[in-house]
Amino acid sequence: MPFQHSIWRLDGGLIQLQPQVVSVEAEIEKHLSSDLRILDGGWLLVGRQVKTGFGKFIDLLAVDRDGTLIIIELKRDRTPREVVAQILDYASWVEGLESEDVAAIWSESGPGAKTGGSLDAAFQAKFGLALDEVDLNEAHRMVVVAARLDESTERIVSYLAQRSIPINVLFFQTFFDGDVRYLSRVWFQDPQYAVDPVSNPSTQAAPWNGEYYANFGEYEDRSWHDAIRYGFIASGGGRWYSRTLNLLEIGSRVWVKLPANGYAGVCIVEGPAVKADQFRTTLQDGRKVALNSPDAPLKAPGLLNDADDEDMAEYLVPVRWLKTLPASGAVHEVGFFGNQNSVCKPTTPKWNHTVERLKRLWDIP
């Protein structure tokens, strides 16, 4: 059935707020002209009205911390089926973009057209990573912005997603509460369970060796020092990032890379992912304490920020470290595997080479 969402006030009795009748797409487009966070705080805008090689224009093109490109289309006055067909057509064009093409879009139809700044500098400021540390446009995903879809189009989107085509719908609706207006945002498919972005088909596959890769990005609110001391790996800032922690199974071995430095640890998973405020660490005297305990001071206390936000909170996986190195001693060699996913199961010959090399360097059986 068509997707619907409603809002009620709970104070003074159960009062349902009334949705706005006018087109929500026009309202969203107005706000997007100044702030992309209304869609996702983990995206960086690359361009608006991006001209494709066949004369059409993509509403919005964004990039996330992994270097994945996000194609965003507002439904406007098009039929839902038309906008789904259009975004698939755009994706076929985006797949072929090289890094220099993406940088040109930033300069010609993105923020760089006004500021004169580079995509590299903006990426570094947004994510704390150099752009050359990620595989830009190694993968892409599609998002349709709409107030509602008809049943037929919902079936089409679900069908594509079930067959690993990364398309999702972001529903918006505005509501009245007297003179106050509210904006509601709901995903058609929970991003935690949405399919992974489409990868470049030229990537060579190899049998998975059973070893997991984890990317531990150090930021103001996340410290490698804390991870070593209290036994965890982490991800956050959006469920598209933290959800991959759920791939890990208890007993799995994980090789951990610091994006700006290299490989700095290997560990065994000891439990499922939990929000940072629910994580418990074991002290030397055997006591289990939370990370907000005076007995477990954090170098980066911001790890506990957004604990009330299921989407944006940091999620931690308890681990037992087999080997750790300080960031300054991390290992990086030409030919090592690298990926900005929080966790993944690599299936490339480069990953097998990386694991075997690290085993020899660290004397890991």
Side-chain angles (χ1 to χ4, degrees):
M1 60 181 296
F3 192 93
Q4 298 179 355
H5 55 115
S6 303
I7 296 178
W8 285 266
R9 279 184 56 182
L10 298 179
D11 57 315
L14 193 62
I15 303 172
Q16 185 173 6
L17 304 188
Q18 296 303 309
Q20 188 177 9
V21 178
V22 299
S23 172
V24 70
E25 285 89 356
E27 184 80 9
I28 298 304
E29 186 172 16
K30 179 180 70 175
H31 291 292
L32 287 177
S33 64
S34 59
D35 198 338
L36 195 63
R37 289 181 300 171
I38 196 171
L39 297 183
D40 191 299
W43 296 347
L44 173 67
L45 180 68
V46 173
R48 292 187 179 90
Q49 293 301 304
V50 177
K51 187 175 182 180
T52 66
F54 46 87
K56 300 291 185 178
F57 292 85
I58 300 172
D59 284 338
L60 297 166
L61 186 66
V63 64
D64 68 15
R65 188 171 61 189
D66 302 332
T68 297
L69 292 183
I70 303 103
I71 306 148
I72 304 160
E73 277 296 294
L74 281 70
K75 186 176 77 64
R76 293 196 186 89
D77 57 352
R78 290 175 288 184
T79 68
R81 289 190 182 191
E82 285 175 339
V83 75
V84 170
Q86 191 73 77
I87 201 169
L88 290 170
D89 195 14
Y90 292 158
S92 69
W93 178 77
V94 166
E95 182 180 52
L97 295 177
E98 301 292 342
S99 296
E100 55 268 27
D101 299 322
V102 180
I105 291 170
W106 165 273
S107 299
E108 296 169 5
S109 59
K114 293 182 178 180
T115 66
S118 68
L119 177 59
D120 305 63
F123 195 90
Q124 176 75 49
K126 174 73 174 178
F127 302 115
L129 294 169
L131 190 57
D132 61 7
E133 294 177 19
V134 304
D135 296 317
L136 185 60
N137 199 25
E138 180 182 293
H140 63 271
R141 61 171 75 248
M142 296 160 279
V143 175
V144 174
V145 176
R148 59 175 291 139
L149 294 183
D150 60 82
E151 292 185 17
S152 175
T153 309
E154 287 187 8
R155 290 196 300 270
I156 292 171
V157 171
S158 297
Y159 176 86
L160 293 170
Q162 289 167 6
R163 282 148 184 82
S164 300
I165 302 300
I167 184 169
N168 208 343
V169 181
L170 196 53
F171 293 101
F172 283 92
Q173 186 60 278
T174 52
F175 292 85
F176 286 107
D177 183 13
D179 294 332
V180 180
R181 298 172 66 227
Y182 296 91
L183 182 66
S184 172
R185 184 192 76 178
V186 182
W187 287 100
F188 179 56
Q189 303 169 85
D190 186 341
Q192 179 182 6
Y193 302 107
V195 298
D196 290 332
V198 171
S199 298
N200 188 325
S202 65
T203 301
Q204 183 179 4
W208 180 47
N209 61 9
E211 310 271 348
Y212 286 87
Y213 166 92
N215 175 60
F216 190 97
E218 274 205 290
Y219 307 100
E220 181 180 350
D221 296 335
R222 190 190 306 149
S223 165
W224 178 235
H225 174 272
D226 290 337
I228 294 174
R229 183 175 182 182
Y230 299 121
F232 66 80
I233 55 178
S235 183
R239 293 306 287 268
W240 271 358
Y241 308 115
S242 59
R243 71 185 178 90
T244 57
L245 295 175
N246 295 322
L247 292 173
L248 299 174
E249 301 175 351
I250 296 175
S252 303
R253 184 154 66 179
V254 187
W255 301 84
V256 183
K257 183 181 180 184
L258 308 184
N261 303 92
Y263 285 86
V266 59
C267 59
I268 301 296
V269 175
E270 296 198 318
V274 297
K275 285 199 303 178
D277 64 331
Q278 299 170 352
F279 182 84
R280 299 294 183 269
T281 187
T282 303
L283 303 180
Q284 289 184 343
D285 60 10
R287 288 183 296 135
K288 286 187 174 292
V289 299
L291 293 183
N292 59 1
S293 166
D295 295 323
L298 288 169
K299 184 176 180 180
L303 186 74
L304 299 170
N305 291 347
D306 299 317
D308 295 331
D309 189 328
E310 295 287 336
D311 182 45
M312 299 302 293
E314 286 282 325
Y315 286 80
L316 277 56
V317 172
V319 301
R320 172 172 55 88
W321 290 109
L322 303 177
K323 175 78 174 181
T324 60
L325 297 171
S328 59
V331 178
H332 177 73
E333 295 181 0
V334 175
F336 269 14
F337 176 85
N339 188 288
Q340 289 305 308
N341 285 329
S342 300
V343 169
C344 65
K345 300 162 62 173
T347 56
T348 68
K350 184 180 288 188
W351 175 240
N352 293 335
H353 162 74
T354 301
V355 169
E356 293 305 315
R357 175 62 174 159
L358 289 173
K359 285 179 179 179
R360 290 195 295 272
L361 289 175
W362 293 348
D363 194 23
I364 302 290

